[in-house]
Amino acid sequence: MLCLFSCESDPLVRKAKKDAETFLKNVRTPERLINHPMLEPEGISASIAFQNRKRNLESLKASVNELCGKSSNFSLENTFKKVGDDGEKFIYLEYEYCKEITFVMGYALRRDGVILHSIWPMNKEDRPVELFQKQVDWN
C-alpha cells in the first residue's frame, strides 16, 4: 500500500492519468472529445485544426470499433517522464486498450498542470524504443 501511494504522489502524473482516462472512456464518442483540451498545432488555422481533429477522432473511433468490438477495457501499463530536445518536460502514459491496441498519451507540462499533446494508437511492436527508456526520466 505504501508503494502504491508513493508511486501516485506526483500531482502532474495524477492529472495526466485523469485526463487520459477521460479521453479513453470517450474514445467511441468523438463528439464528446472534439473539445477535449489539447495542444493545437502551430501554423494551422483554427478551422483546419478543428477539421483535422474531427477526422482523426472519427478514424480513431472506427479503428477501436473494428479491433475491439464492444470491449472498452483499458489499463495503465507504464508511465514515463521525458525531457524533449528543447528541455521541455513530458509525461507519457502507455495504456492497453481491449488487449488489442496500445495507446501512448503524451502530455506537456504547463504552469497550471498538463495538456494532452499527442495520442499514439499502435501495436506494442511499433513502440519507439527510445521513448520507453527509463534512464532518461526526470523528477
Side-chain angles (χ1 to χ4, degrees):
M1 185 87 153
L2 181 61
C3 177
L4 180 61
F5 178 73
S6 64
C7 295
E8 293 291 324
S9 63
D10 187 330
L12 294 172
V13 171
R14 279 195 312 268
K15 286 181 180 184
K17 285 180 184 179
K18 182 178 178 182
D19 185 81
E21 290 172 6
T22 297
F23 187 95
L24 292 172
K25 287 176 185 175
N26 290 296
V27 76
R28 294 176 191 259
T29 53
E31 60 277 4
R32 288 187 188 163
L33 292 178
I34 198 69
N35 294 315
H36 191 93
M38 294 178 75
L39 276 181
E40 294 295 335
E42 293 181 20
I44 297 177
S45 72
S47 62
I48 292 175
F50 180 82
Q51 290 304 315
N52 285 343
R53 181 189 283 200
K54 184 176 178 180
R55 185 176 46 253
N56 290 340
L57 291 171
E58 288 291 339
S59 177
L60 187 58
K61 173 187 172 184
S63 295
V64 168
N65 286 340
E66 180 182 329
L67 293 170
C68 297
K70 295 192 183 286
S71 176
S72 294
N73 296 330
F74 61 87
S75 62
L76 180 65
E77 299 295 312
N78 285 303
T79 302
F80 302 92
K81 296 162 124 183
K82 303 294 174 194
V83 177
D85 293 337
D86 60 357
E88 188 173 9
K89 294 179 179 178
F90 298 96
I91 297 171
Y92 293 97
L93 304 174
E94 179 183 10
Y95 284 88
E96 181 181 77
Y97 192 96
C98 80
K99 307 254 185 244
E100 297 294 327
I101 304 170
T102 295
F103 279 98
V104 177
M105 311 288 287
Y107 288 86
L109 273 61
R110 296 293 179 254
R111 281 183 289 164
D112 58 343
V114 295
I115 187 163
L116 185 60
H117 79 83
S118 61
I119 305 156
W120 299 336
M122 65 181 85
N123 297 321
K124 285 192 177 191
E125 305 83 50
D126 296 334
R127 293 174 19 181
V129 174
E130 66 278 1
L131 179 63
F132 298 98
Q133 294 175 348
K134 287 277 191 182
Q135 64 268 25
V136 293
D137 287 2
W138 55 266
N139 285 313

